[in-house]
Amino acid sequence: MSFKKVTAIFDQLKLVDVENALSKNSHIGFTVHSVEGKGAYVNLYSKNALSSHIQMDIYTHNLSAHKVAKIIMQAACTHSEDEGLISITDIDELFWIHTQKAVSEDELLIE
């Protein structure tokens, strides 16, 4: 099986833009988490100097991972240093809990 996990960390104000961009390009499922951290930008007004962002995880077919990353980059871009980052990692196996069966490659392929 050829699966990838696309993880994006970006400004929480861009979440709706990213959701809309993903919806326009295909039915792409995702998981969203609120996260805090330090990177190029440090929030000096926060008591712990951390800035708040969104972390989005998307499981997709190997052939679709770069397309998904590009959609997110374009939608989340604000042209500032604290925009975040995107990683693409290999997934050995992926299972649906409700069927207790492996996910097929076709289920996550984006045209």
Side-chain angles (χ1 to χ4, degrees):
M1 300 274 174
S2 298
F3 297 113
K4 298 283 186 181
K5 178 180 176 185
V6 179
T7 299
I9 299 173
F10 55 89
D11 188 315
Q12 57 192 359
L13 298 175
K14 299 299 283 182
L15 178 58
V16 172
D17 293 338
V18 172
E19 288 175 345
N20 289 338
L22 291 169
S23 294
K24 286 178 187 174
N25 285 278
S26 184
H27 175 70
I28 301 172
F30 54 83
T31 303
V32 175
H33 312 274
S34 293
V35 295
E36 291 184 325
K38 266 189 222 181
Y41 172 79
V42 177
N43 184 356
L44 298 176
Y45 298 103
S46 170
K47 62 181 168 182
N48 58 7
L50 300 177
S51 58
S52 297
H53 282 76
I54 292 296
Q55 177 176 322
M56 180 179 278
D57 297 318
I58 299 171
Y59 294 95
T60 189
H61 190 283
N62 177 49
L63 299 175
S64 303
H66 284 90
K67 179 178 181 178
V68 170
K70 186 174 182 178
I71 292 167
I72 295 169
M73 281 188 269
Q74 290 173 342
C77 184
T78 62
H79 302 288
S80 67
E81 292 181 5
D82 65 336
E83 289 182 310
L85 51 85
I86 297 176
S87 67
I88 300 175
T89 54
D90 292 326
I91 299 297
D92 292 332
E93 294 184 74
L94 196 57
F95 297 92
W96 293 115
I97 292 175
H98 70 287
T99 62
Q100 299 182 11
K101 295 183 180 179
V103 175
S104 72
E105 291 183 6
D106 294 342
E107 291 178 89
L108 299 180
L109 183 61
I110 299 169
E111 300 297 325

